[in-house]
Amino acid sequence: MVSFVGKWKGKDFLDTNDFSQEEVKKVLDAANVLMKMFRSRKKHPFLPGKTLFMMFYNRSLRTRNSFEAGIYQLGGHAHFLSPQDVYTPALPEDMVAYQTEAISDVARVLSRYGDAIAIRIYGDAAKWIIGRGHKVVREFAKHATIPVLNMEDDMYHPFQALADAQAMRNAVPKLQGKKLVVSYAYSGGLKPLAVPQSEILIGTQLGMNVVLAHPPGFDLEDVVLDAAKKNADRYGGEFSVVNDMKASFEGADIVYPKAWSPKNYFPPHSPALDKPSATAYQDKFKDWICTQELMDLTNKGKYMHCGPADRGQEVTDEVIDNEKYSLYFEQAEDRLHVQKAVMALVMGDRSTRKR
Ligand code: CP
């Protein structure tokens, strides 16, 4: 048995900023151990008989399959729940008789059956009210007596951030002080703020020089910008915001161009979602695309994207498929290892055997 199993038994994992730099590094170290076991096909059933409930309000390729494969590889079982197939879990203010069930009840019932509850909720499922999905996840965490894992809400995507930290750490030695550019990139669709918000948090938490680049009107949530500034002060990095994609790429060690939508067309920043205006505004910035020309401005920089990437809008094929500097598939693989690490930490039983 490795020493990290069950070390954080019972803890939730909702946002990387709920943890210190040292704790994030512990997860990454554990993920590295699990990655080596996985690649050498050494069995590692550290969670025998454990059940993970996975509640997906949104579609997924990477998150669902990496969690499901991960818990199986740890000797446990994933139980997939679609909110349409149960009485839709509802916040107290959203209860509809015969159709919904209070989240407080759903959380306590599932806590009687298994060992963790993982939730994904953003976009339509959260009525595009920024922060509402996160409120749902926190409501589950408040009432569950087993760990709650955030598989992406409308504020944070913590497991993506952990995987990205691992991919960066493996690709770029000594991340402290390295330049990470988290940039807006164009997409025609509506996209949540979760990924860029979690990326600026994890980058500053690792002591990097984080530059957030976006056109006017694409500001992230103030609470997250403030947290990124505090991280930079605490961990010896830097955090700045610019409105020029090309200038931001100059000398970058890592670039992370990714779409999100302008928050001022979404509640609570506007009375209701104004989708036509949001997409019309986004369409003004089709030139925010990651090309080889931009990559040439970097310091032999690495390219990153959480996936699914909108090829031809956010990035050219030439960039994302470049095996020398694109970390796209490393990031996807690291989802598996970091999630297994967190599950082993929070769902595992501490061994009473003397080592
Ligand atoms: N990056 C990510 O969360 O991918 P999926 O939407 O495919 O799960």
Side-chain angles (χ1 to χ4, degrees):
M1 182 73 86
V2 290
S3 62
F4 54 81
V5 174
K7 205 149 194 172
W8 295 349
K9 191 169 171 60
K11 261 187 189 268
D12 300 318
F13 209 96
L14 309 182
D15 170 11
T16 50
N17 235 46
D18 293 338
F19 295 82
S20 67
Q21 183 193 72
E22 195 189 344
E23 288 169 327
V24 165
K25 286 182 175 170
K26 274 198 170 83
V27 174
L28 302 185
D29 289 344
N32 208 29
V33 171
L34 292 167
M35 183 267 287
K36 285 181 184 152
M37 288 175 161
F38 174 76
R39 289 193 177 168
S40 64
R41 297 292 179 234
K42 188 174 169 193
K43 293 225 178 302
H44 43 282
F46 300 142
L47 299 178
K50 300 274 183 179
T51 300
L52 173 73
F53 294 106
M54 302 190 308
M55 191 168 295
F56 276 93
Y57 290 79
N58 309 86
R59 288 184 292 187
S60 166
L61 172 68
R62 283 144 285 264
T63 306
R64 177 177 176 179
N65 292 295
S66 52
F67 265 108
E68 195 160 334
I71 187 74
Y72 174 74
Q73 290 161 20
L74 290 168
H77 168 71
H79 198 126
F80 181 81
L81 282 167
S82 161
Q84 292 85 352
D85 298 333
V86 293
Y87 313 103
T88 306
L91 290 164
E93 60 268 32
D94 298 323
M95 294 290 294
V96 178
Y98 312 120
Q99 292 174 36
T100 62
E101 184 166 3
I103 288 172
S104 55
D105 292 340
V106 178
R108 284 178 288 180
V109 168
L110 293 178
S111 296
R112 300 277 180 128
Y113 299 148
D115 303 284
I117 304 170
I119 303 158
R120 162 168 284 200
I121 178 164
Y122 58 82
D124 287 337
K127 302 184 183 175
W128 287 106
I129 301 170
I130 295 173
R132 186 189 161 87
H134 189 60
K135 191 173 170 189
V136 166
V137 172
R138 292 261 172 211
E139 179 79 357
F140 267 98
K142 182 174 161 191
H143 296 283
T145 57
I146 55 178
V148 171
L149 311 179
N150 180 359
M151 298 193 293
E152 186 176 5
D153 62 33
D154 49 8
M155 288 291 288
Y156 306 107
H157 197 352
F159 290 99
Q160 186 65 52
L162 286 177
D164 295 342
Q166 188 77 312
M168 287 194 278
R169 206 165 77 141
N170 288 337
V172 178
K174 294 194 183 136
L175 291 177
Q176 183 78 37
K178 293 287 190 311
K179 182 174 176 183
L180 166 65
V181 175
V182 178
S183 174
Y184 173 76
Y186 172 73
S187 164
L190 294 187
K191 306 267 179 170
L193 306 176
V195 171
Q197 296 198 149
S198 280
E199 294 311 318
I200 65 168
L201 291 177
I202 198 81
T204 50
Q205 199 173 31
L206 294 172
M208 301 178 79
N209 170 11
V210 178
V211 178
L212 174 66
H214 61 71
F218 284 80
D219 309 68
L220 300 182
E221 290 289 290
D222 287 344
V223 66
V224 178
L225 296 173
D226 290 344
K229 281 179 209 143
K230 282 192 185 128
N231 280 352
D233 290 343
R234 180 174 175 189
Y235 297 116
E238 291 173 41
F239 177 64
S240 57
V241 185
V242 300
N243 292 140
D244 186 334
M245 186 180 197
K246 192 173 172 189
S248 73
F249 270 49
E250 280 168 17
D253 297 292
I254 301 169
V255 294
Y256 203 120
K258 159 86 182 83
W260 67 89
S261 292
K263 70 178 185 183
N264 287 336
Y265 298 99
F266 295 80
H269 304 293
S270 75
L273 167 63
D274 183 352
K275 188 173 172 181
S277 299
T279 50
Y281 188 69
Q282 287 174 181
D283 285 349
K284 293 178 198 270
F285 302 102
K286 288 184 181 174
D287 55 336
W288 284 64
I289 176 171
C290 185
T291 60
Q292 184 58 49
E293 191 191 351
L294 285 187
M295 292 304 298
D296 288 341
L297 298 172
T298 68
N299 176 27
K300 295 186 183 158
K302 304 292 181 191
Y303 166 83
M304 298 184 78
H305 192 291
C306 58
D310 287 341
R311 289 170 179 259
Q313 292 193 338
E314 294 177 293
V315 61
T316 61
D317 290 341
E318 186 185 13
V319 169
I320 197 169
D321 290 329
N322 188 308
E323 289 182 5
K324 281 201 189 114
Y325 63 67
S326 172
L327 302 183
Y328 188 64
F329 296 104
E330 274 69 30
Q331 293 170 260
E333 180 183 333
D334 283 322
R335 292 293 303 275
L336 176 73
H337 309 309
V338 299
Q339 287 159 198
K340 284 166 72 179
V342 171
M343 287 192 285
L345 280 158
V346 305
M347 295 168 70
D349 293 318
R350 298 292 289 155
S351 169
T352 50
R353 275 185 298 122
K354 284 199 176 142
R355 280 174 238 286

